[in-house]
Amino acid sequence: MMIMKENESTLWLKQHGVKPTPNRILVVQALKREHRPVSLHEIEDSIVTIDKSSIFRVLGVFKEHGLVHVIEDGSDSVKYELCMSLHHDIDDDEHVHFYCESCHRTLCLEHLQVPRIDLPAGFVVKSENHIVKGTCPDCATQQLKNVFKN
């Protein structure tokens, strides 16, 4: 992912039917800058000019318009990432996420699509998350280094 400039953020919001306010532009840029799903707390730390409740309201607007993926990775903290789908009615940006149990980061595995599951009749899907848990490459490498040090 690349960092969006203010005019790109404004255009992106307008294309998705969201009025581009200064706070919304800042939240889009913060989410884009992180390159991974982040918690409300992490967004708050990266944008010191906006309070937590304002950021939460912006994320709510983004969620209503399908502009963010809301990821529940089991870390007791919901994570948010921009949905880069170009369509309003179909999310073609669904992908698998990886939660590292060592560094507690959630990472996008954009090249892996969420597997389709055929549910029995009567079930209606409202959202879907596919989380794989384990150790990320950075932490695995560090753990190997620590084993060989001892």
Side-chain angles (χ1 to χ4, degrees):
M1 286 189 211
M2 58 184 207
I3 297 174
M4 280 188 195
K5 296 177 184 169
E6 183 174 349
N7 57 348
E8 292 170 330
S9 300
T10 299
L11 180 60
W12 187 78
L13 287 167
K14 286 180 181 179
Q15 288 173 336
H16 289 84
V18 176
K19 182 180 177 184
T21 65
N23 284 357
R24 291 173 183 171
I25 291 167
L26 286 174
V27 172
V28 165
Q29 291 172 334
L31 288 169
K32 194 69 174 160
R33 188 172 44 245
E34 292 299 326
H35 302 289
R36 64 180 180 86
V38 291
S39 67
L40 175 61
H41 180 73
E42 290 172 300
I43 298 167
E44 184 184 17
D45 285 348
S46 72
I47 308 174
V48 295
T49 58
I50 306 176
D51 62 69
K52 184 178 190 173
S53 61
S54 296
I55 295 170
F56 189 74
R57 281 192 301 275
V58 168
L59 291 170
V61 169
F62 287 4
K63 183 179 174 185
E64 286 174 23
H65 286 84
L67 299 179
V68 290
H69 289 151
V70 179
I71 300 147
E72 298 172 25
D73 60 11
S75 67
D76 295 330
S77 178
V78 173
K79 304 288 180 9
Y80 302 89
E81 74 171 324
L82 286 179
C83 175
M84 299 310 293
S85 177
L86 300 176
H87 308 284
H88 298 285
D89 54 348
I90 299 172
D91 185 355
D92 58 4
D93 185 33
E94 291 181 342
H95 52 270
V96 174
H97 292 90
F98 186 91
Y99 177 74
C100 180
E101 295 173 326
S102 294
C103 66
H104 308 288
R105 292 182 304 156
T106 300
L107 306 167
C108 295
L109 301 177
E110 293 171 347
H111 62 284
L112 295 177
Q113 291 187 330
V114 173
R116 297 291 164 221
I117 299 171
D118 293 323
L119 294 175
F123 287 89
V124 178
V125 176
K126 290 192 178 184
S127 68
E128 188 174 352
N129 282 314
H130 193 90
I131 302 291
V132 178
K133 295 183 180 187
T135 307
C136 71
D138 292 341
C139 290
T141 300
Q142 188 60 43
Q143 289 171 0
L144 279 175
K145 287 180 183 178
N146 290 339
V147 166
F148 288 113
K149 273 169 89 173
N150 298 331

